[in-house]
Amino acid sequence: MAAHFGRLRKGATTTAVAAVAVAALSASQAPGVTTDDLGRQAAGAAQPSGDANTGGAGGGATGDSPYYTDLPPLKSPNPSPSASPTTGTTVPVGEAEAGIPATVLDAYKKAEAELRASKPGCNLPWQLLAAIGKVESGQARGGRVDASGTTYSPILGPKLDGNGFALIADTDHGAYDGDPAYDRAVGPMQFIPSTWEWAGRDGNGDGKKDPNNVYDAALAAGHYLCRFDRDLSVQSQMNAAILNYNNSTEYLNTVLSWLEYYRKGTHEVPDGTGTLPSHSSNSDPGASPSPTTPATPRTPSTPSAPSTPKPGGGGSTSPTPKPPAPSSPAPSPTPPTPTQTVDHLEDANTGKLTATAGSAFGTKVAVRAESKASKGVSKVRVRFTIIGDTDATFTGGESVATVATGSAGTATAPALVAGEKTGDFTVRATVVGRVLGGLDYTATVTPRQADTLTRTSDTALTCVPGGEFADQVELKATYKGAVAGKVAATATLIKSADDATENDKGPYFKDADGKTIRTLTDLTTDADGVLKLPKLYADDATGTFLLRVNTTGGAVLTVELKVAAAAS
């Protein structure tokens, strides 16, 4: 199963170039290969022995099946911006090998996010999943997946029948790999059935654990790598995790090569257009490569006719002309994926997007994926992204949501929920896996409102000159009869009912330094709609004065304050 590195690196001119690159990387990573108590190779930290879930005779997730040994280019993959010739939008362009199909890349990043929440101490980088996905299946055969992330046809490794590979008799009655006699590695991350049975995960929320689904497989691989409380930011523990996935030093070096390459920069490419590797660690030319794809049988050519001597002559002549050999039938062209047939997005009767702070929007964003003939395209993934200075989210608290189009080609985003920040923001709809112009929708969050203000007490508010009011002003705000919590308000001591400018005498408030102020801003009602103003004081002026309170939404209340000398 040794990898032939000297003939694999694209862009390398000699065997020595590739060998030196791998050797340098291996030295820098310092895997420290040792042998565990079961006689298997291991790297870095030793793994707990006796684990019932080791995943097959080879001890790895894949049963140590063959893998792709192509190495990344020596050139840095850092992408540079370039304008799309069809949409004019700026898209990253870089080395072809640095491009990862959109849905596959999305699966890796979602798996990293889930592990960051569930196992934060693991420090799993999505680039490690991408590196393993590259060597195991060529990123799901270049991203040949549908809208839900499931491969269009199963990705299967060779039979693990002991003939050049590990011997693993059937464990799943062919349920995952279709083979009732021997197990095979299955799916984009090449899990053998016995490992998938306990390690499988539901990464796309469809209620199933499918090894041929890249979301499920990527999440399962992440959990598999994070076992034994590993911290993958520690190189020795990362090495151990990779070797536990496929027990081969060459495999470790190949994965680490791709990991470092992807860490330097990647870019998203449309599904189905990823670069396919061509070399396998399988050194037996008669065995199946990993992963397998159906081959097109070749038609044998017609044998040549023997030479015929000239009649009565001395010497041979040209051979009798033979009919042209029938050529091998050309393979049927691969039909385009639904995503590849999408020409544009159209609005699907999305209404006006407006909501009051803290409430749900009454309208959802809906778009329709259409072909050039303006026909709806089903099974296409549409990504909805909230953009702008806002704390609004989709239901569930996410700022990004991905939805597959239905039979009519329509995808509807989850409901939007407004936060406390008011103003406009954008919801952008784009097709996952295509560089197409998206659709932008403007959503507006308006301030909370109140249409009525009332005092919570009818006690007269009186004070003597130079004194302080015994009661504080307390109000309650409502909107259409319901409590109006968190509503903004201002309070001003005005000159008269007809002159709302600030008074220069009479009652006043004090600021934090004890200075006189007669206007309060940045007031907010509490969750119950109640607003209690600070204590009021009186100067030497006597008479009836007015306090006016205004709220967002138009509620206004004027309160009388009386200042009079005490009765003798």
Side-chain angles (χ1 to χ4, degrees), residues 472-475 490-491 509 520 523 531-536 547 549:
Q472 291 177 243
V473 178
E474 186 177 271
L475 312 171
T490 59
F509 300 105
L520 298 176
L523 301 172
L531 174 63
K532 190 172 186 176
L533 300 182
K535 187 180 288 292
L536 277 162
L547 169 67
V549 182

Side-chain angles (χ1 to χ4, degrees), residues 385-396:
T385 306
I386 294 174
I387 301 171
D389 183 18
T390 180
D391 53 358
T393 64
F394 293 112
T395 302

Side-chain angles (χ1 to χ4, degrees), residues 213-226:
N213 181 279
V214 69
Y215 286 95
D216 295 359
L219 184 58
H223 278 281
Y224 188 94
L225 293 166
C226 288

Side-chain angles (χ1 to χ4, degrees), residues 503-527:
N503 207 341
D504 55 1
K505 61 180 180 180
Y508 60 91
F509 300 105
K510 290 182 180 180
D511 64 12
D513 298 325
K515 295 180 180 178
T516 297
I517 56 172
R518 289 190 168 89
T519 298
L520 298 176
T521 58
D522 298 327
L523 301 172
T524 307
T525 63
D526 64 17

Side-chain angles (χ1 to χ4, degrees), residues 77-347:
N78 291 327
S80 58
S82 176
S84 166
T86 56
T87 65
T89 57
T90 299
V91 296
V93 175
E95 284 287 321
E97 289 289 358
I100 299 178
T103 299
V104 179
L105 180 60
D106 188 50
Y108 295 149
K109 291 185 176 180
K110 275 185 165 50
E112 179 199 55
E114 196 279 340
L115 267 299
R116 191 186 306 124
S118 62
K119 296 182 179 180
C122 179
N123 296 304
L124 170 77
W126 66 261
Q127 292 91 341
L128 176 57
L129 296 176
I132 291 175
K134 180 69 174 181
V135 303
E136 293 293 352
S137 68
Q139 311 298 18
R141 291 198 190 117
R144 295 288 299 168
V145 296
D146 64 16
S148 67
T150 302
T151 58
Y152 285 112
S153 58
I155 300 177
L156 298 174
K159 292 182 179 181
L160 299 176
D161 57 5
N163 184 20
F165 309 110
L167 173 59
I168 305 179
D170 176 65
T171 61
D172 65 331
H173 304 290
Y176 294 121
D177 56 15
D179 191 330
Y182 299 98
D183 274 352
R184 295 180 173 213
V186 182
M189 305 303 277
Q190 289 288 279
F191 279 94
I192 56 173
S194 57
T195 303
W196 184 261
E197 191 62 33
W198 60 266
R201 294 291 193 279
D202 177 14
N204 62 351
D206 64 356
K208 298 183 294 184
K209 300 176 183 178
D210 182 0
N212 285 300
N213 181 279
V214 69
Y215 286 95
D216 295 359
L219 184 58
H223 278 281
Y224 188 94
L225 293 166
C226 288
R227 294 186 308 156
F228 310 126
D229 295 324
R230 292 188 181 107
D231 179 358
L232 300 186
S233 65
V234 178
Q235 190 61 55
S236 62
Q237 296 189 38
M238 176 183 284
N239 294 346
I242 297 170
L243 280 171
N244 195 220
Y245 203 92
N246 191 315
N247 193 24
S248 160
T249 304
E250 289 84 357
Y251 180 86
L252 170 67
N253 290 332
T254 306
V255 169
L256 290 177
S257 296
W258 283 106
L259 169 63
E260 294 307 312
Y261 182 74
Y262 286 143
R263 276 177 164 166
K264 292 176 183 177
T266 60
H267 58 276
E268 181 181 292
V269 298
D271 289 343
T273 65
T275 302
L276 293 175
S278 56
H279 298 97
S280 171
S281 64
N282 175 22
S283 59
D284 179 3
S288 301
S290 173
T292 59
T293 54
T296 302
R298 301 184 65 84
T299 302
S301 58
T302 303
S304 302
S307 300
T308 304
K310 289 183 180 180
S316 63
T317 180
S318 300
T320 303
K322 61 181 180 180
S327 59
S328 300
S332 301
T334 303
T337 66
T339 301
Q340 291 170 329
T341 66
V342 176
D343 178 72
H344 59 276
L345 287 176
E346 285 288 337
D347 176 55

